[in-house]
Amino acid sequence: MRISDVLRTKGSEVVTIAGSASVAELVALLREKGIGAVVVVDDPTTGAISGIVSERDVVRRLATDAESLLSTPVSAVMTTTVHTCEGDEELHDVAVRMTERRIRHLPVVDGDRLTSIVSIGDVVKSRLQELQAERDHLEGYISS
């Protein structure tokens, strides 16, 4: 199974934010959308990724900068080294990479252009569906 297969059932909506937005705007967006990370895109016409910012980034910064954090720009708390994947990559390979690097959200790109995002939850859900299909197939084979 490929990442593009996961995205076919999940959809490709990606929530983005500008690096100049405040952490308060970020937190409101995370809450409104019910998500754990947002891709930072400063130029929506190109879709080039500037960074990624997650709940973890906010919490880590909160421990040292609670008073001024909400007015801080997203660019000050985001992760700038963004690991990505492409739609034609194998799900297993992406799952291994996410696990090894302790990444919960991975932007999906086509060249330099952001196309979607995949979470560890999406990966686990797809893998569980694969295992269930294999189980059903084996049960059918044994029963016949």
Side-chain angles (χ1 to χ4, degrees):
M1 178 177 273
R2 299 190 182 282
I3 292 299
S4 58
D5 299 322
V6 174
L7 298 176
R8 203 170 293 117
T9 59
K10 174 193 174 183
S12 61
E13 180 187 357
V14 186
V15 178
T16 63
I17 195 166
S20 59
S22 69
V23 171
E25 293 172 279
L26 166 69
V27 170
L29 187 60
L30 291 170
R31 183 175 148 251
E32 173 191 335
K33 299 291 186 177
I35 55 178
V38 177
V39 180
V40 181
V41 175
D42 288 314
D43 184 358
T45 58
T46 65
I49 299 170
S50 302
I52 189 166
V53 62
S54 69
E55 297 164 325
R56 279 184 184 175
D57 296 320
V58 174
V59 169
R60 284 184 185 127
R61 189 68 179 263
L62 186 61
T64 60
D65 191 17
E67 289 184 28
S68 63
L69 181 60
L70 291 177
S71 60
T72 301
V74 167
S75 60
V77 297
M78 72 182 186
T79 301
T80 56
T81 303
V82 182
H83 299 281
T84 62
C85 67
E86 295 187 2
D88 63 349
E89 288 188 55
E90 289 291 331
L91 179 66
H92 173 78
D93 296 338
V94 171
V96 168
R97 190 175 335 143
M98 290 176 86
T99 302
E100 287 175 348
R101 294 182 178 163
R102 301 181 57 109
I103 298 170
R104 291 191 282 177
H105 300 89
L106 201 59
V108 181
V109 296
D110 182 5
D112 288 335
R113 190 176 60 79
L114 175 66
T115 61
S116 189
I117 189 165
V118 66
S119 71
I120 195 69
D122 299 328
V123 171
V124 169
K125 180 180 177 183
S126 294
R127 185 62 185 131
L128 288 174
Q129 289 171 341
E130 279 184 332
L131 291 171
Q132 184 64 46
E134 287 175 20
R135 178 180 169 225
D136 294 345
H137 177 74
L138 287 171
E139 283 180 350
Y141 179 76
I142 292 169
S143 298
S144 59

